[in-house]
Amino acid sequence: VALKWSLPDPDERGAPLTQSQLRSLWWVGGTFTGLHLLGGILAGSPLVVGTPGWLGFGLLILAYVLLHSLAKGPVLVWAQILVLTSCALMLWHAPLSVADGWRVWFLGACHAALVIPALRGRPMVSIASGWCLFAIIVVTFVVRAPERWSDAGQLALPFVVIPSVAALYAVMLARADRRLRGAQEAEAEARRRLVAAEARQRVVAARITVGAHVEVVLVDRLRVREAVGGQASAELLAVRQREL
């Protein structure tokens, strides 16, 4: 029988997904990103434009690697910074076409990356990242295509809604987890008290049983009016020792 014990990680408490679970589910983010990449290829336009675009593409891949390998603590924040930077670099030279959203496939590919912090117990990081990407899209439209700045809302709104829904989901699961853990701790404490009470009861019963035998011998001695002393005391002590 092999028993392994380790202290619980504080970052794992209240997180819908643990780090090991997220590491084993890397294929979900890979499939989601791959489908958007395929959509960009089928759109017929270049996947990325210029050196900044390829740099942003590399940063996006690096962000996903970090999120699925070291998704804890400051890594979650730095990975979100990489995601936002990659989107800004790829979006700056990309064709701004709301009608053909697959030309900016990388924006849709970021949804999974924005949701991961919420699933790791950091919902505010997901919400903040979504709002930052919303601002990046709006500013890019205002600077590059001011005549179509109103179209930016249609493209940017999902990056506020989806992380917010993920954060709400994570908060609800965290509350349910805390309540369940509290109920389990209360049950464990009740079991501990019950076991302690049963142990005390067994000790008291054993003492009463041992004392009863000694008292019977003493009563028999008094019944026949035999002095309790000397030899009688030695016999009582012997009886006591045998019972113990």
Side-chain angles (χ1 to χ4, degrees), residues 156-230:
L157 187 60
F159 297 97
V160 174
V161 176
I162 293 178
S164 299
V165 172
L168 179 61
Y169 169 79
V171 170
M172 293 174 62
L173 284 183
R175 290 182 178 179
D177 180 70
R178 285 195 297 269
R179 292 177 180 176
L180 178 60
R181 187 167 59 249
Q184 291 173 342
E185 291 176 353
E187 181 182 4
E189 179 64 18
R191 288 178 180 272
R192 187 192 66 80
R193 293 181 178 180
L194 178 61
V195 170
E198 292 176 347
R200 288 193 298 268
Q201 183 179 4
R202 288 193 296 269
V203 171
V204 172
R207 290 177 177 177
I208 292 176
T209 302
V210 172
H213 288 288
V214 176
E215 291 171 358
V216 168
V217 175
L218 179 59
V219 170
D220 288 339
R221 295 292 185 180
L222 295 176
R223 182 172 56 82
V224 297
R225 297 182 179 179
E226 183 177 344
V228 183

Side-chain angles (χ1 to χ4, degrees), residues 65-243:
V65 172
L66 290 177
L67 287 173
H68 285 282
S69 59
L70 301 172
K72 63 180 296 183
V75 176
L76 289 172
V77 178
W78 285 108
Q80 296 303 299
I81 293 175
L82 291 178
V83 170
L84 297 176
T85 304
S86 67
C87 288
L89 291 174
M90 288 188 283
L91 185 62
W92 187 251
H93 294 288
L96 301 180
S97 176
V98 178
D100 189 5
W102 289 112
R103 296 180 184 272
V104 287
W105 61 271
F106 47 86
L107 293 179
C110 294
H111 281 301
L114 299 181
V115 166
I116 287 177
L119 298 180
R120 290 289 295 124
R122 303 289 295 274
M124 295 307 299
V125 174
S126 290
I127 294 176
S129 299
W131 276 103
C132 287
L133 189 52
F134 177 91
I136 290 173
I137 295 173
V138 172
V139 170
T140 302
F141 267 81
V142 169
V143 175
R144 290 187 54 201
E147 69 280 359
R148 291 184 299 170
W149 69 270
S150 59
D151 295 338
Q154 180 181 348
L155 188 63
L157 187 60
F159 297 97
V160 174
V161 176
I162 293 178
S164 299
V165 172
L168 179 61
Y169 169 79
V171 170
M172 293 174 62
L173 284 183
R175 290 182 178 179
D177 180 70
R178 285 195 297 269
R179 292 177 180 176
L180 178 60
R181 187 167 59 249
Q184 291 173 342
E185 291 176 353
E187 181 182 4
E189 179 64 18
R191 288 178 180 272
R192 187 192 66 80
R193 293 181 178 180
L194 178 61
V195 170
E198 292 176 347
R200 288 193 298 268
Q201 183 179 4
R202 288 193 296 269
V203 171
V204 172
R207 290 177 177 177
I208 292 176
T209 302
V210 172
H213 288 288
V214 176
E215 291 171 358
V216 168
V217 175
L218 179 59
V219 170
D220 288 339
R221 295 292 185 180
L222 295 176
R223 182 172 56 82
V224 297
R225 297 182 179 179
E226 183 177 344
V228 183
Q231 184 65 27
S233 298
E235 292 179 0
L236 291 175
L237 180 59
V239 173
R240 180 73 172 184
Q241 290 176 347
R242 285 197 302 271
E243 295 296 339

